[in-house]
Amino acid sequence: MVVGGQIFQFGRALARTKECIRIFNLRKYDRGYLPAVRLYASSSSGGGKQDKSGSNEGSSTAKIIAGVAVTAATAALVYKSGIFEPSGPDTPKKVRKTAQPRVRTRPPVVKVPADAANIPSQVPYLLIGGGTASFAAFRAIKSRDPKAKVLVVTEEGHLPYMRPPLSKELWFNDDKEATKNLRFKQWNGKERSLFFEPEQFYCKVEELESRENGGVAVASGWKVERLDLAEKKAILAGGKEIQYEKCLIATGGKPKSLSVFEKASSEVKNRVTLFRGIDDFKELDEVASGAQSIVVVGGGFLGSELVCALAKKSKTMGNHPKIIQVYPEKGNMGKVLPEYLSQWTTNKVRHEGVEVVPEAFVTGVSQESGKLVLKLNNGETIKTDHAIVAVGLEPNTQLANTSGLEVHEELGGFLVNAELEARSNLWVAGDCACFFDIKLGRRRVEHHDHAVVSGRLAGENMTGAGKPYWHQSMFWSDLGPDVGYEAIGIVDATLPTVGVFAKATEADTPKAAVEASGEGDRAQAEMVSLEI
């Protein structure tokens, strides 16, 4: 194992508590010596130069002069017969070639149940949002209150699932049918589903109230418009009211965009993906199968993971799409890594076959002959089939405006205390929670482990535990199966850094590391911890 350390704010808390925590773990299989400090994945953009399609010649115009009405009618008939068109065996008629606009083929979100009348009007536990935090919360609730009746309301048309594999393992599948069914292999070869639980685990929404031993039901495709905090009611779009005893907001976040793309035409937007969920993965997988080039804009975790995954997949595809990454920093993960490690990571990304364009950002975007044309601040122009914008996450706090809840002006997210409470009988967990860390102060964290731990704590507190949030969540990222990194606490490239170098061995790969630590499936290992 290659371990590096960094002097950062959490270090002071560690010094007081004398805890021993692995801070960074950076692994590489085929290098002799490897610098190791924190790593940060960056978004990238790719695209390739495309030839312009030829223009079409206009058809010649025939003038027919008629002296009388009969002659004019006859001439018109002759003209329609094509006699005035150029003739000859070597003069083919030219066909107009027009670029076909790309039409998104995403299926509409299906509401389950279809009728709001089948949604319970009263539930003991209401969870708003169907992501990792909600899943961790209802697991915690059921462990402390086995007969609990829990209703999950989510806008997505899917059951709760884990997001990390969408930019990692799923792209390395050799089995197309497994990918279609959203099954993937961890780096250790173990296969599992993207969904936390099979459909059979959940009960039907309309049966929840009558179940003697309780259960968990998911109302998918439904949106909570506002909360009446005084009356403890949630009002859905359409007016349906749900009375609750305890409520959790775990609405997560939505991907940020850039103004240059937001102001673009609908034709341009049809070729741009803000990558976040299952539908985005399916769309990008389809796009990659027919594209000549794909650009990823951004230099963070998601962007770097995606370009490495797409570049790897490109080598196995017949069309071999070119992958390009564009970001304003000097190197990949430049906001998190010290410069020398950022450059090392950039070289790794290039070695995977990605064309990296650092210190650049998009100033203009248009569509030309069926291609996106990205204009950069350095004067370069990139033509590509599709662009992915991976420039961060914005907490989904729409309920704050409609329900009178407070949002942190700088960090974003619903303001909650150390017990994750926003109001009486109302908790917030996951990406959208701005919580008080008893060691590091006010924070908002956007990582899988935080969603797991904060969701679990909120679920426990909803059943009367009254515990403060003291856990220092970790995060990880893998640039394919050969390079991975892990970190804990506040990670920032502007903080003083200490690099520790060690000889790499065959055990220094994501696969070997997770097996040695018993974390064959990181996300699953975290779920197991919910029962401890």
Side-chain angles (χ1 to χ4, degrees), residues 102 273 282-291 294 319 385-386:
R102 182 178 181 275
T273 295
K282 289 182 175 179
E283 177 183 61
L284 186 55
D285 187 46
E286 180 184 351
V287 166
S289 65
I294 298 175
N319 53 314
D385 296 291
H386 201 83

Side-chain angles (χ1 to χ4, degrees), residues 124-142:
Y125 298 97
L126 175 65
L127 312 183
I128 304 173
T132 300
S134 270
F135 174 74
F138 72 63
R139 282 281 296 268
I141 291 171
K142 292 293 288 182

Side-chain angles (χ1 to χ4, degrees), residues 310-321:
L310 287 169
K312 182 72 173 180
K313 187 176 180 67
S314 174
K315 297 173 184 177
T316 66
M317 301 171 69
N319 53 314
H320 299 301

Side-chain angles (χ1 to χ4, degrees), residues 20-35:
C20 180
I21 296 180
R22 177 177 60 182
I23 305 219
F24 298 108
N25 177 9
L26 173 63
R27 306 170 297 270
K28 182 70 175 71
Y29 180 76
D30 56 356
R31 298 295 177 100
Y33 287 88
L34 183 66

Side-chain angles (χ1 to χ4, degrees), residues 50-71:
Q50 306 294 333
D51 295 330
K52 297 180 180 179
S53 59
S55 59
N56 302 307
E57 295 183 358
S59 58
S60 59
T61 305
K63 292 184 179 180
I64 302 174
I65 304 176
V68 292
V70 175
T71 305

Side-chain angles (χ1 to χ4, degrees), residues 267-376:
E267 290 80 5
V268 167
K269 291 179 179 178
N270 279 338
R271 294 181 179 272
V272 177
T273 295
L274 303 180
F275 195 91
R276 177 65 173 165
I278 286 177
D279 294 333
D280 302 316
F281 168 79
K282 289 182 175 179
E283 177 183 61
L284 186 55
D285 187 46
E286 180 184 351
V287 166
S289 65
Q292 292 178 315
S293 70
I294 298 175
V295 173
V296 181
V297 180
F301 295 99
L302 178 61
S304 292
E305 291 174 359
L306 280 175
V307 291
C308 288
L310 287 169
K312 182 72 173 180
K313 187 176 180 67
S314 174
K315 297 173 184 177
T316 66
M317 301 171 69
N319 53 314
H320 299 301
K322 185 178 183 180
I323 310 302
I324 303 171
Q325 182 178 22
V326 177
Y327 50 77
E329 294 81 26
K330 291 183 178 180
N332 285 69
M333 299 173 279
K335 292 183 178 180
V336 180
L337 298 178
E339 187 172 351
Y340 71 92
L341 243 188
S342 174
Q343 290 303 317
W344 182 90
T345 306
T346 304
N347 291 337
K348 165 62 182 173
V349 173
R350 286 187 169 127
H351 180 71
E352 291 295 324
V354 179
E355 181 181 322
V356 180
V357 185
E359 299 184 90
F361 55 88
V362 180
T363 59
V365 59
S366 60
Q367 181 175 270
E368 180 181 312
S369 301
K371 303 287 184 181
L372 284 182
V373 180
L374 305 181
K375 295 182 179 179
L376 307 184

Side-chain angles (χ1 to χ4, degrees), residues 140-343:
I141 291 171
K142 292 293 288 182
S143 67
R144 292 173 58 88
D145 184 0
K147 293 187 177 182
K149 297 177 181 179
V150 183
L151 176 64
V152 179
V153 179
T154 174
E155 292 183 54
E156 286 197 77
H158 306 285
L159 296 173
Y161 63 93
M162 59 185 74
R163 298 187 190 276
L166 294 173
S167 59
K168 301 179 182 70
E169 294 94 335
L170 268 171
W171 293 98
F172 291 81
N173 265 351
D174 295 325
D175 186 347
K176 292 183 179 180
E177 192 64 24
T179 301
K180 181 179 178 181
N181 294 325
L182 298 174
R183 297 192 64 84
F184 63 94
K185 288 184 178 180
Q186 287 283 327
W187 303 134
N188 63 358
K190 294 181 180 179
E191 184 176 300
R192 67 151 297 152
S193 171
L194 190 71
F195 296 98
F196 289 118
E197 297 286 1
E199 186 176 356
Q200 297 78 7
F201 171 85
Y202 304 95
C203 68
K204 292 183 178 180
V205 174
E206 51 269 34
E207 297 176 356
L208 180 62
E209 281 186 295
S210 62
R211 287 176 65 95
E212 183 179 350
N213 293 321
V216 180
V218 179
S220 56
W222 291 92
K223 180 179 180 179
V224 176
E225 291 279 7
R226 67 183 179 89
L227 295 173
D228 184 333
L229 301 175
E231 298 295 328
K232 294 197 292 186
K233 289 182 179 180
I235 296 88
L236 306 185
K240 171 72 177 183
E241 294 186 358
I242 304 174
Q243 185 93 38
Y244 63 82
E245 295 178 21
K246 309 289 182 181
C247 181
L248 171 70
I249 298 176
T251 47
K254 55 186 178 181
K256 292 180 180 178
S257 186
L258 298 172
S259 59
V260 67
F261 291 103
E262 290 178 339
K263 298 176 182 178
S265 65
S266 59
E267 290 80 5
V268 167
K269 291 179 179 178
N270 279 338
R271 294 181 179 272
V272 177
T273 295
L274 303 180
F275 195 91
R276 177 65 173 165
I278 286 177
D279 294 333
D280 302 316
F281 168 79
K282 289 182 175 179
E283 177 183 61
L284 186 55
D285 187 46
E286 180 184 351
V287 166
S289 65
Q292 292 178 315
S293 70
I294 298 175
V295 173
V296 181
V297 180
F301 295 99
L302 178 61
S304 292
E305 291 174 359
L306 280 175
V307 291
C308 288
L310 287 169
K312 182 72 173 180
K313 187 176 180 67
S314 174
K315 297 173 184 177
T316 66
M317 301 171 69
N319 53 314
H320 299 301
K322 185 178 183 180
I323 310 302
I324 303 171
Q325 182 178 22
V326 177
Y327 50 77
E329 294 81 26
K330 291 183 178 180
N332 285 69
M333 299 173 279
K335 292 183 178 180
V336 180
L337 298 178
E339 187 172 351
Y340 71 92
L341 243 188
S342 174
Q343 290 303 317

Side-chain angles (χ1 to χ4, degrees), residues 439-513:
K439 294 180 179 177
L440 297 176
R442 182 65 57 179
R443 298 181 67 194
R444 191 176 68 80
V445 180
E446 299 173 359
H447 294 297
H448 180 82
D449 180 61
H450 168 69
V452 171
V453 176
S454 63
R456 177 183 62 194
L457 178 66
E460 291 175 344
N461 287 345
M462 291 171 77
T463 58
K467 296 179 181 179
Y469 190 98
W470 59 268
H471 176 79
Q472 290 300 323
S473 59
M474 58 85 69
F475 65 86
W476 83 90
S477 183
D478 298 327
L479 303 183
D482 295 331
V483 175
Y485 56 92
E486 299 172 355
I488 188 171
I490 295 178
V491 182
D492 191 323
T494 62
L495 298 172
T497 302
V498 175
V500 179
F501 300 80
K503 184 73 176 288
T505 69
E506 293 185 0
D508 296 317
T509 64
K511 174 183 175 181

